[in-house]
Amino acid sequence: MIRDLTCIVCPKACKLKVEYSEKGIERIQGVLCKKGQDYVREEIYNPTRVLTSSVRVMDGDLKLVSVKTNRPIPKDLLMKVMDVLYKTKVKAPIKIGDILIKNILGSGIDIVATKNIKGNG
Amino acid sequence: MREVDIIIIGGGPAGLSAAISCKREGIDNLLLIEREDRLGGILNQCIHSGFGLEIFKEDLTGPEYAKRYITEVERLHIPFMLKGNVLDISQDKEVVVVSPKGLFKLRAKAIILSMGCRERARGAIGIPGTRPAGIYTAGQAQNLMNIRNYMVGKRVVILGSGDIGLIMARRLTLEGARVLAVVEILPYCSGLPRNRVQCLEDFKIPLLLNHTIVDIKGDKRLKSVTISKVGKRGGIVPRQKREIPCDTLLLSCGLIPENELSRKAGVILDPETSGPIVNEELETNIPGIYACGNVLQVHDLVDWVTLEGEKVGKSAASYVKGGKRNYQWIDARAGSGIRYIIPHRISTERDVEVTLRVSRPGKDKDILVKDRNRLIKKVFFGKVNPSQMIKLRLNKKELRGTKALWVSLR
Ligand SMILES: Cc1cc2nc3c(=O)[nH]c(=O)nc-3n(C[C@H](O)[C@H](O)[C@H](O)COP(=O)(O)OP(=O)(O)OC[C@H]3O[C@@H](n4cnc5c(N)ncnc54)[C@H](O)[C@@H]3O)c2cc1C
């Protein structure tokens, strides 16, 4: 299989053509440093992203608290995690780093707050 | 009238770090003024990650990055005023502020401008058609969705490929909207490659380069936009028009320094950056008035904003304490291929870091720093891109005897 990738490890943003199979990467066209090689392997076999979004707040000085996954999650889980976040409501006060959802969808990854929210009581 | 040593206007990352730096330099009589009800500036609505990689070597979200500096401001007991809107600054550094407590006048020995930037809507003004509801700047949409919990629309077209537009393309998609296209008139994406990959390619959102919007339809609410390919000379290619039904249009056509106050104070602006003309201390033409952050130049990374704030804090503190002033400034000028260079004036007596942006993307380029015909420095870049701020360090040995500094691209 062949895939065109843009390496995003640094601002040089090298354009690459990657030939690969289930067994491994066969050939990469384009300049590539050590970090770039690791990025390509991850992107092809196990693409992950940090998801950032927000969750509704009850009784807070803001209506929403911003959140993130505490580690990168597999890319194909992004939308499923969003569905869970959409249905979630949390109560103020909230502090940065508070775990709002533990082990989301059994992934071993937590949803943590990235903003302080004061109670409005 | 209350007298303050240093007044800092704007409590975003630039103002926060400037205030911390002033305090660390021994200035206790200072005041940070912010018009919103919390510190942090635009970072409060930038809930995505990608902040702090340079300074903290960590991937933080906007609010997390801001919190680190807000905590430090609180720990150092730096006085700040919220809901304080600065209305006017005079040349003799009188500052007029309005807040829920009333109208105040303060006098400062030094002022630091850190009001940030606002969004350009220029790219959209010329578009023919109606002006229905459903048209927002990308930053307005970001504020509505991330702070106010208001979903702006379901079927969205984004005009302009700036970073905020790209970030919003992903945000909208995650929240269940369909982003039909990002339309960019230039032949390249103006946002960072990382955002192009993770915000558009991840979600298979089409990026239409060399395209623009030529018509807007809708009575009350937006019904459709018509896009067209743009030819080599900038003309519309009539046979390549396409109408896209949508209910929302976001404009992401670039940022411009917020300089109404600077102008009122008599600060001279650089037509290229729309920010003040400054010397190596980041001091404007008015002695004791300094500028940092996006009010000076629109930055690509918040980390550089913070470092600029730090530098300004030191300069302003030195001014208040009666530090050295009698420098012989020489001009630093942007030559061919360079859009601008900051600072505009340097002393050649100290090492200096200059920031610049190129005019166009390019490959295998040299940036040349010259004193008329004498080559001072040559730096090779495999790739250059206008979306990226380039920093060069020049040391005083290299600069000795320079009459005028020219920077160009070859
Ligand atoms: C909508 C938007 C989204 C952005 N998203 C990103 C991003 O995702 N990533 C990134 O790296 N950069 C982003 N930027 C750029 C970002 O602005 C900078 O990285 C950084 O926040 C600039 O810091 P600053 O302190 O100069 O300005 P700001 O953060 O804008 O802070 C300026 C502060 O000054 C206050 N102010 C202005 N005028 C007055 C006045 N007259 N009186 C009192 N207070 C005043 C404002 O309320 C504000 O709090 C974005 C910019 C905008 C406009």
Side-chain angles (χ1 to χ4, degrees), chain B residues 9-16 33-36 38-43 45-46 48 50-51 84-87 114-119 138-140 142 163-164 167 195 255 258 261 292-295 298-303 305:
Chain B
I9 307 172
L16 289 168
I33 305 177
E34 166 57 50
R35 74 174 160 208
E36 298 293 326
R38 61 188 66 214
L39 295 172
I42 212 83
L43 290 176
Q45 71 184 56
C46 299
H48 56 280
F51 299 86
N85 192 1
V86 175
L87 297 180
S114 51
M115 293 93 71
C117 58
R118 59 196 157 79
E119 297 177 274
Q140 275 170 346
Q142 190 179 45
D163 283 308
I164 311 168
I167 295 284
N195 288 335
L255 303 170
E258 177 66 71
L261 277 180
C292 62
N294 280 1
V295 83
V298 172
H299 288 67
D300 55 352
L301 294 177
V302 72
D303 308 65
V305 171

Side-chain angles (χ1 to χ4, degrees), chain B residues 33-89:
Chain B
I33 305 177
E34 166 57 50
R35 74 174 160 208
E36 298 293 326
D37 63 359
R38 61 188 66 214
L39 295 172
I42 212 83
L43 290 176
N44 288 318
Q45 71 184 56
C46 299
I47 65 170
H48 56 280
S49 58
F51 299 86
L53 288 164
E54 300 292 333
I55 291 183
F56 298 110
K57 313 286 170 214
E58 262 183 81
D59 196 3
L60 302 171
T61 62
E64 290 173 310
Y65 186 94
K67 187 65 178 71
R68 298 210 170 176
Y69 292 91
I70 296 170
T71 305
E72 188 63 6
V73 162
E74 287 166 348
R75 196 183 67 81
L76 293 171
H77 302 290
I78 294 172
F80 61 87
M81 179 199 285
L82 297 176
K83 298 187 189 170
N85 192 1
V86 175
L87 297 180
D88 204 7
I89 312 172

